Amino acid sequence: MNSIKRRSWAEPFKIKVVEPLKMTTREERANALKEAGYNTFLLRSEDVYIDLLTDSGTNAMSDYQWAGMLLGDEAYAGSRNYYNLEAKVQEYYGYKYLVPTHQGRGAEHMISQILIKKGDFIPGNMYFTTTRLHQELAGGTFVDVIIDEAHDPENLHPFKGNIDLQKLEDLVKRVGAERIPYISVAATVNMAGGQPISMENLRQVRALCQKHSIRVILDATRAIENAYFIKLREKGYESKSVKEILKGLCSYSDGCTMSGKKDLLVNIGGFLALNEWDIFEEARNLVVVYEGLHTYGGLAGRDMEAMARGIEEAVHEDHIRARIGQVEYVGEKLKSAGIPFVQPVGGHAIFLDAKKFLPHLRQVEFPAQTLAAELYEESGIRSMERGIVSAGRNKETGDHYYPKLELVRLTFPRRVYTQAHCDVTVEAVEEAYQQRENIKGLNMVYEPKYLRFFQARFEKL
Ligand SMILES: *Cc1c(COP(=O)(O)O)cnc(C)c1O
């Protein structure tokens, strides 16, 4: 596996506008945390120093994108920005038809409602929170068919997002292909640590699905990062451009859901893209009910323009090398400090291994939630839990899902933080690691019904 050398990832931009950050005292942070119920989602952003909660919608736009915002054509119907976005999606992703949505989950909602019947099964390479919920709300059951390596935080498999073809084949045998409307393939796999899927694996998935007339729907939210990993790690793609690889990936699918808030360098936006006219037609009908007319889908014209321009910038090799290089830089520093985290480092984040970090806590004491709270109190850095709280409850038994991975995600917004911010982050994690034996777990005192990790509240044990 090629590693990314320091010299090659230096930021390919300079800073034109700055946003001052507030520094807080430990006491202020302890109070803020208590008020937020030890849930980093409930902190006020102004109390946060370095915000690594998510890379969703937190990107810094370029001057080219901001200039595009002024060219927003705010017509109710047929905005020129829609046609520009459609052209860019066709050119870079290769799908025929475009339905814009306010963000990724708008697209997930529509594709789930259109394709899933009650009692259906939807295989996928590890779940994503909103994706699975929309599948379940449509009456489907999600089935994880990711390779076993993905569940092992120390396994160095270069494509831990890959689908286990045997698991997929077994599911087809068990429930029958007629009850599998599509396979939901994420590239990269957020919940596995931003791990990529290989081109070869997707090609084989495609072949198997074609045999059984099962559609492949790509979650293309992070497909550009995935394309870059293919370039670095998969034989035969070294000299291909990220743009070419992206189109190759998409060519093995029938459509995609997309959150523009990640790869595409905007603060809001998403889309559903499709190759089949019939499904597109239904989506065009549904979008009017839930999002807005089919030529804006809940977005302003200027948002569509920023996203269209974001596509062009996102596939730029210098950009993607620096984006992933920054995450890798933090990973290398944490590795030298002996901190346990998911390897290899994924595209958008470092995932600290909370089970290893806090081995004295039981999973029902929410180790990852606890560690995220601790990091904030220690240093003002905001991260988030990806473990038992995010996994939610089994709708049949009512018990928690107990995911193998209990992780704290340090997510890097694109083009926002400098290398010095990265250094401070590493120091804060090291600090918490030295204190780890004194860290006590949490008790959940409020639990929302859906996507509980966003609003659940906790108390210190
Ligand atoms: C963020 C994300 C989504 C959901 O998109 P939203 O814009 O937050 O609704 C879906 N899949 C993946 C892989 C994501 O990272």
Short mmCIF file of all heavy atoms in Angstrom, two decimals, residues 54-57 101-108 127-131 134 186-191 219-223 257-263 267-271 348 386 409 414 454, ligand 1:
data_model
loop_
_atom_site.label_atom_id
_atom_site.label_comp_id
_atom_site.label_asym_id
_atom_site.label_seq_id
_atom_site.Cartn_x
_atom_site.Cartn_y
_atom_site.Cartn_z
N THR A 54 -18.24 16.26 12.73
CA THR A 54 -18.63 15.67 11.45
C THR A 54 -17.97 16.44 10.31
O THR A 54 -17.57 17.60 10.49
CB THR A 54 -20.16 15.70 11.28
OG1 THR A 54 -20.50 15.28 9.96
CG2 THR A 54 -20.74 17.07 11.51
N ASP A 55 -17.88 15.80 9.17
CA ASP A 55 -17.42 16.50 7.97
C ASP A 55 -18.62 16.77 7.07
O ASP A 55 -18.49 17.00 5.88
CB ASP A 55 -16.37 15.66 7.24
CG ASP A 55 -16.94 14.35 6.70
OD1 ASP A 55 -17.98 13.88 7.21
OD2 ASP A 55 -16.33 13.77 5.77
N SER A 56 -19.81 16.72 7.67
CA SER A 56 -21.03 16.87 6.89
C SER A 56 -21.49 18.33 6.87
O SER A 56 -21.93 18.85 7.89
CB SER A 56 -22.13 16.00 7.51
OG SER A 56 -23.32 16.18 6.79
N GLY A 57 -21.37 18.95 5.72
CA GLY A 57 -21.83 20.33 5.59
C GLY A 57 -20.92 21.33 6.28
O GLY A 57 -21.25 22.50 6.39
N THR A 101 -32.08 16.87 -3.95
CA THR A 101 -32.75 16.77 -2.65
C THR A 101 -32.03 17.68 -1.66
O THR A 101 -30.90 18.09 -1.92
CB THR A 101 -32.70 15.32 -2.10
OG1 THR A 101 -31.34 14.91 -2.00
CG2 THR A 101 -33.45 14.35 -2.99
N HIS A 102 -32.70 17.96 -0.53
CA HIS A 102 -32.09 18.92 0.40
C HIS A 102 -30.80 18.37 0.98
O HIS A 102 -29.87 19.12 1.27
CB HIS A 102 -33.07 19.33 1.49
CG HIS A 102 -33.30 18.30 2.55
ND1 HIS A 102 -34.04 17.16 2.33
CD2 HIS A 102 -32.87 18.22 3.82
CE1 HIS A 102 -34.05 16.44 3.44
NE2 HIS A 102 -33.36 17.05 4.36
N GLN A 103 -30.71 17.06 1.18
CA GLN A 103 -29.46 16.41 1.55
C GLN A 103 -29.60 14.92 1.29
O GLN A 103 -30.61 14.49 0.72
CB GLN A 103 -29.04 16.74 2.98
CG GLN A 103 -30.03 16.41 4.06
CD GLN A 103 -29.56 16.92 5.43
OE1 GLN A 103 -29.79 18.06 5.77
NE2 GLN A 103 -28.90 16.06 6.20
N GLY A 104 -28.61 14.13 1.71
CA GLY A 104 -28.61 12.71 1.35
C GLY A 104 -29.84 11.95 1.77
O GLY A 104 -30.38 11.14 1.02
N ARG A 105 -30.32 12.19 2.99
CA ARG A 105 -31.44 11.40 3.49
C ARG A 105 -32.72 11.64 2.70
O ARG A 105 -33.61 10.79 2.70
CB ARG A 105 -31.64 11.63 4.99
CG ARG A 105 -32.07 12.99 5.40
CD ARG A 105 -31.79 13.25 6.85
NE ARG A 105 -30.36 13.37 7.13
CZ ARG A 105 -29.85 13.55 8.34
NH1 ARG A 105 -30.62 13.64 9.39
NH2 ARG A 105 -28.55 13.68 8.51
N GLY A 106 -32.84 12.78 2.04
CA GLY A 106 -33.99 13.03 1.17
C GLY A 106 -34.00 12.02 0.02
O GLY A 106 -35.04 11.48 -0.36
N ALA A 107 -32.82 11.76 -0.52
CA ALA A 107 -32.68 10.79 -1.61
C ALA A 107 -32.91 9.37 -1.09
O ALA A 107 -33.55 8.54 -1.74
CB ALA A 107 -31.29 10.90 -2.23
N GLU A 108 -32.40 9.09 0.13
CA GLU A 108 -32.57 7.75 0.72
C GLU A 108 -34.06 7.47 0.96
O GLU A 108 -34.54 6.37 0.75
CB GLU A 108 -31.83 7.67 2.05
CG GLU A 108 -30.32 7.70 1.88
CD GLU A 108 -29.59 7.92 3.20
OE1 GLU A 108 -30.25 8.22 4.23
OE2 GLU A 108 -28.35 7.80 3.21
N TYR A 127 -24.23 -0.86 7.93
CA TYR A 127 -25.35 0.08 7.82
C TYR A 127 -24.85 1.52 7.92
O TYR A 127 -23.80 1.79 8.46
CB TYR A 127 -26.34 -0.19 8.94
CG TYR A 127 -25.90 0.37 10.29
CD1 TYR A 127 -26.44 1.56 10.77
CD2 TYR A 127 -24.92 -0.25 11.06
CE1 TYR A 127 -26.02 2.09 11.98
CE2 TYR A 127 -24.50 0.27 12.27
CZ TYR A 127 -25.05 1.44 12.72
OH TYR A 127 -24.62 1.98 13.90
N PHE A 128 -25.62 2.45 7.37
CA PHE A 128 -25.47 3.85 7.77
C PHE A 128 -26.78 4.24 8.43
O PHE A 128 -27.84 3.80 8.04
CB PHE A 128 -25.15 4.77 6.58
CG PHE A 128 -24.89 6.18 7.04
CD1 PHE A 128 -23.69 6.49 7.67
CD2 PHE A 128 -25.85 7.17 6.92
CE1 PHE A 128 -23.46 7.77 8.15
CE2 PHE A 128 -25.63 8.45 7.39
CZ PHE A 128 -24.42 8.75 8.01
N THR A 129 -26.69 5.10 9.46
CA THR A 129 -27.83 5.40 10.32
C THR A 129 -29.09 5.79 9.54
O THR A 129 -30.12 5.11 9.63
CB THR A 129 -27.47 6.54 11.28
OG1 THR A 129 -26.93 7.62 10.52
CG2 THR A 129 -26.43 6.09 12.30
N THR A 130 -29.02 6.86 8.74
CA THR A 130 -30.22 7.33 8.05
C THR A 130 -30.64 6.37 6.94
O THR A 130 -31.83 6.16 6.71
CB THR A 130 -30.00 8.73 7.45
OG1 THR A 130 -28.86 8.68 6.58
CG2 THR A 130 -29.77 9.77 8.53
N THR A 131 -29.64 5.77 6.28
CA THR A 131 -29.95 4.85 5.18
C THR A 131 -30.78 3.67 5.70
O THR A 131 -31.83 3.34 5.15
CB THR A 131 -28.63 4.30 4.56
OG1 THR A 131 -27.69 5.35 4.47
CG2 THR A 131 -28.87 3.71 3.20
N HIS A 134 -34.40 4.63 6.85
CA HIS A 134 -35.36 4.80 5.75
C HIS A 134 -35.77 3.45 5.16
O HIS A 134 -36.92 3.27 4.76
CB HIS A 134 -34.79 5.73 4.67
CG HIS A 134 -34.96 7.17 5.03
ND1 HIS A 134 -36.21 7.74 5.22
CD2 HIS A 134 -34.07 8.14 5.29
CE1 HIS A 134 -36.06 9.01 5.55
NE2 HIS A 134 -34.77 9.28 5.62
N ALA A 186 -22.23 1.17 -0.10
CA ALA A 186 -21.61 2.45 0.27
C ALA A 186 -20.15 2.46 -0.16
O ALA A 186 -19.43 1.48 0.00
CB ALA A 186 -21.71 2.67 1.77
N ALA A 187 -19.71 3.58 -0.70
CA ALA A 187 -18.30 3.77 -1.08
C ALA A 187 -17.93 5.21 -0.68
O ALA A 187 -18.50 6.12 -1.26
CB ALA A 187 -18.13 3.60 -2.59
N THR A 188 -17.11 5.40 0.28
CA THR A 188 -16.55 4.51 1.27
C THR A 188 -17.57 4.18 2.37
O THR A 188 -18.64 4.80 2.39
CB THR A 188 -15.33 5.16 1.99
OG1 THR A 188 -15.80 6.35 2.67
CG2 THR A 188 -14.27 5.64 1.00
N VAL A 189 -17.22 3.25 3.25
CA VAL A 189 -18.13 2.87 4.32
C VAL A 189 -17.86 3.70 5.57
O VAL A 189 -16.89 3.48 6.29
CB VAL A 189 -18.03 1.37 4.63
CG1 VAL A 189 -19.03 0.98 5.70
CG2 VAL A 189 -18.24 0.55 3.37
N ASN A 190 -18.73 4.65 5.79
CA ASN A 190 -18.60 5.58 6.91
C ASN A 190 -18.46 4.84 8.24
O ASN A 190 -17.51 5.04 8.99
CB ASN A 190 -19.84 6.48 6.90
CG ASN A 190 -19.70 7.68 7.82
OD1 ASN A 190 -18.88 7.69 8.74
ND2 ASN A 190 -20.51 8.70 7.59
N MET A 191 -19.42 3.93 8.52
CA MET A 191 -19.48 3.30 9.83
C MET A 191 -18.34 2.31 10.09
O MET A 191 -18.08 1.95 11.23
CB MET A 191 -20.82 2.58 10.02
CG MET A 191 -22.02 3.47 9.86
SD MET A 191 -22.07 4.84 11.02
CE MET A 191 -22.80 4.05 12.44
N ASP A 219 -24.36 4.27 -2.48
CA ASP A 219 -24.34 5.47 -1.65
C ASP A 219 -23.03 6.17 -2.04
O ASP A 219 -21.95 5.81 -1.59
CB ASP A 219 -24.35 5.11 -0.17
CG ASP A 219 -24.33 6.37 0.72
OD1 ASP A 219 -23.98 7.45 0.21
OD2 ASP A 219 -24.66 6.25 1.92
N ALA A 220 -23.16 7.16 -2.93
CA ALA A 220 -21.98 7.77 -3.56
C ALA A 220 -21.48 8.99 -2.77
O ALA A 220 -20.62 9.71 -3.26
CB ALA A 220 -22.31 8.18 -4.99
N THR A 221 -22.01 9.15 -1.56
CA THR A 221 -21.66 10.31 -0.73
C THR A 221 -20.16 10.55 -0.65
O THR A 221 -19.69 11.68 -0.68
CB THR A 221 -22.23 10.08 0.68
OG1 THR A 221 -23.65 9.97 0.55
CG2 THR A 221 -21.90 11.21 1.60
N ARG A 222 -19.39 9.46 -0.54
CA ARG A 222 -17.94 9.57 -0.37
C ARG A 222 -17.20 8.82 -1.48
O ARG A 222 -16.07 8.37 -1.30
CB ARG A 222 -17.55 9.00 1.00
CG ARG A 222 -18.24 9.71 2.14
CD ARG A 222 -18.08 9.01 3.47
NE ARG A 222 -18.82 9.71 4.52
CZ ARG A 222 -18.41 10.83 5.09
NH1 ARG A 222 -17.25 11.35 4.76
NH2 ARG A 222 -19.14 11.43 6.01
N ALA A 223 -17.85 8.68 -2.63
CA ALA A 223 -17.29 7.86 -3.71
C ALA A 223 -16.00 8.47 -4.28
O ALA A 223 -15.17 7.74 -4.82
CB ALA A 223 -18.33 7.66 -4.81
N THR A 257 -27.62 7.42 -4.24
CA THR A 257 -28.05 8.49 -3.34
C THR A 257 -26.80 9.27 -3.00
O THR A 257 -25.69 8.72 -2.96
CB THR A 257 -28.68 7.93 -2.06
OG1 THR A 257 -27.75 7.05 -1.42
CG2 THR A 257 -29.97 7.18 -2.35
N MET A 258 -26.97 10.54 -2.76
CA MET A 258 -25.79 11.39 -2.59
C MET A 258 -26.05 12.48 -1.55
O MET A 258 -27.07 13.15 -1.61
CB MET A 258 -25.53 12.06 -3.95
CG MET A 258 -24.34 12.96 -3.94
SD MET A 258 -22.83 11.96 -3.96
CE MET A 258 -21.66 13.18 -3.40
N SER A 259 -25.13 12.61 -0.63
CA SER A 259 -25.12 13.77 0.23
C SER A 259 -24.00 14.68 -0.23
O SER A 259 -22.83 14.35 -0.08
CB SER A 259 -24.89 13.35 1.69
OG SER A 259 -24.64 14.50 2.48
N GLY A 260 -24.37 15.81 -0.79
CA GLY A 260 -23.35 16.75 -1.30
C GLY A 260 -22.54 17.39 -0.18
O GLY A 260 -21.51 18.00 -0.42
N LYS A 261 -23.02 17.19 1.05
CA LYS A 261 -22.38 17.81 2.20
C LYS A 261 -21.03 17.19 2.55
O LYS A 261 -20.34 17.66 3.44
CB LYS A 261 -23.31 17.71 3.41
CG LYS A 261 -24.66 18.38 3.17
CD LYS A 261 -25.65 18.09 4.27
CE LYS A 261 -25.26 18.79 5.55
NZ LYS A 261 -26.32 18.68 6.58
N LYS A 262 -20.66 16.12 1.89
CA LYS A 262 -19.38 15.46 2.15
C LYS A 262 -18.44 15.76 0.98
O LYS A 262 -17.92 16.85 0.89
CB LYS A 262 -19.58 13.96 2.35
CG LYS A 262 -20.87 13.58 3.08
CD LYS A 262 -20.90 13.95 4.54
CE LYS A 262 -22.27 13.79 5.16
NZ LYS A 262 -22.79 12.43 5.25
N ASP A 263 -18.25 14.78 0.09
CA ASP A 263 -17.33 14.95 -1.04
C ASP A 263 -17.47 16.29 -1.77
O ASP A 263 -16.48 16.84 -2.24
CB ASP A 263 -17.62 13.87 -2.10
CG ASP A 263 -16.79 12.60 -1.92
OD1 ASP A 263 -15.95 12.56 -1.01
OD2 ASP A 263 -17.01 11.64 -2.70
N ASN A 267 -22.25 23.16 1.95
CA ASN A 267 -22.81 23.15 3.30
C ASN A 267 -24.20 22.51 3.34
O ASN A 267 -24.67 22.11 4.40
CB ASN A 267 -22.86 24.57 3.86
CG ASN A 267 -21.48 25.24 3.84
OD1 ASN A 267 -21.29 26.28 3.22
ND2 ASN A 267 -20.50 24.60 4.46
N ILE A 268 -24.84 22.42 2.20
CA ILE A 268 -26.14 21.75 2.14
C ILE A 268 -26.38 21.25 0.71
O ILE A 268 -25.87 21.86 -0.24
CB ILE A 268 -27.29 22.72 2.58
CG1 ILE A 268 -28.60 21.95 2.84
CG2 ILE A 268 -27.53 23.83 1.55
CD1 ILE A 268 -28.60 21.13 4.10
N GLY A 269 -27.12 20.16 0.58
CA GLY A 269 -27.45 19.68 -0.76
C GLY A 269 -27.25 18.18 -0.90
O GLY A 269 -26.51 17.55 -0.14
N GLY A 270 -27.93 17.61 -1.86
CA GLY A 270 -27.79 16.19 -2.15
C GLY A 270 -28.56 15.88 -3.41
O GLY A 270 -29.11 16.79 -4.05
N PHE A 271 -28.55 14.62 -3.81
CA PHE A 271 -29.37 14.24 -4.97
C PHE A 271 -29.56 12.73 -5.04
O PHE A 271 -28.85 11.96 -4.38
CB PHE A 271 -28.78 14.77 -6.29
CG PHE A 271 -27.35 14.38 -6.59
CD1 PHE A 271 -27.04 13.12 -7.09
CD2 PHE A 271 -26.32 15.29 -6.40
CE1 PHE A 271 -25.72 12.77 -7.40
CE2 PHE A 271 -24.99 14.96 -6.70
CZ PHE A 271 -24.70 13.70 -7.20
N HIS A 348 -12.13 10.05 5.84
CA HIS A 348 -12.61 11.32 6.38
C HIS A 348 -12.37 11.48 7.86
O HIS A 348 -12.65 12.54 8.41
CB HIS A 348 -14.09 11.47 6.09
CG HIS A 348 -14.96 10.42 6.75
ND1 HIS A 348 -14.85 9.07 6.47
CD2 HIS A 348 -15.95 10.53 7.66
CE1 HIS A 348 -15.74 8.41 7.18
NE2 HIS A 348 -16.41 9.26 7.92
N ARG A 386 -19.55 6.63 17.72
CA ARG A 386 -20.05 5.67 16.75
C ARG A 386 -19.93 4.31 17.41
O ARG A 386 -18.92 3.62 17.25
CB ARG A 386 -19.25 5.73 15.44
CG ARG A 386 -19.73 6.80 14.47
CD ARG A 386 -21.15 6.60 14.06
NE ARG A 386 -21.62 7.56 13.06
CZ ARG A 386 -22.82 8.12 13.10
NH1 ARG A 386 -23.66 7.88 14.08
NH2 ARG A 386 -23.21 8.92 12.14
N ARG A 409 -15.33 9.11 16.73
CA ARG A 409 -14.92 9.61 15.42
C ARG A 409 -14.40 11.04 15.50
O ARG A 409 -15.10 11.92 15.99
CB ARG A 409 -16.11 9.53 14.47
CG ARG A 409 -15.74 9.73 13.03
CD ARG A 409 -16.95 9.61 12.14
NE ARG A 409 -17.75 10.83 12.20
CZ ARG A 409 -18.88 11.02 11.51
NH1 ARG A 409 -19.35 10.06 10.74
NH2 ARG A 409 -19.54 12.15 11.60
N ARG A 414 -13.51 19.40 5.30
CA ARG A 414 -12.59 19.65 4.18
C ARG A 414 -12.16 21.11 4.11
O ARG A 414 -13.01 22.00 4.13
CB ARG A 414 -13.26 19.23 2.87
CG ARG A 414 -13.54 17.74 2.81
CD ARG A 414 -14.58 17.38 1.77
NE ARG A 414 -15.01 15.99 1.94
CZ ARG A 414 -15.89 15.59 2.86
NH1 ARG A 414 -16.45 16.47 3.67
NH2 ARG A 414 -16.21 14.32 2.97
N PHE A 454 -28.40 11.47 18.26
CA PHE A 454 -28.44 12.91 18.08
C PHE A 454 -28.88 13.65 19.35
O PHE A 454 -28.40 14.74 19.64
CB PHE A 454 -29.40 13.30 16.95
CG PHE A 454 -28.86 13.07 15.56
CD1 PHE A 454 -29.60 12.37 14.62
CD2 PHE A 454 -27.62 13.58 15.18
CE1 PHE A 454 -29.12 12.18 13.33
CE2 PHE A 454 -27.14 13.39 13.89
CZ PHE A 454 -27.89 12.69 12.97
C1 LIG B 1 -23.89 11.73 5.61
C2 LIG B 1 -24.15 10.48 4.95
C3 LIG B 1 -25.44 10.13 4.54
C4 LIG B 1 -26.67 10.98 4.83
O1 LIG B 1 -26.59 12.23 4.22
P1 LIG B 1 -27.23 13.56 4.86
O2 LIG B 1 -26.86 14.63 3.90
O3 LIG B 1 -26.61 13.74 6.21
O4 LIG B 1 -28.70 13.35 4.95
C5 LIG B 1 -25.60 8.92 3.89
N1 LIG B 1 -24.56 8.10 3.68
C6 LIG B 1 -23.30 8.41 4.04
C7 LIG B 1 -22.18 7.46 3.73
C8 LIG B 1 -23.05 9.59 4.70
O5 LIG B 1 -21.80 9.88 5.08
#
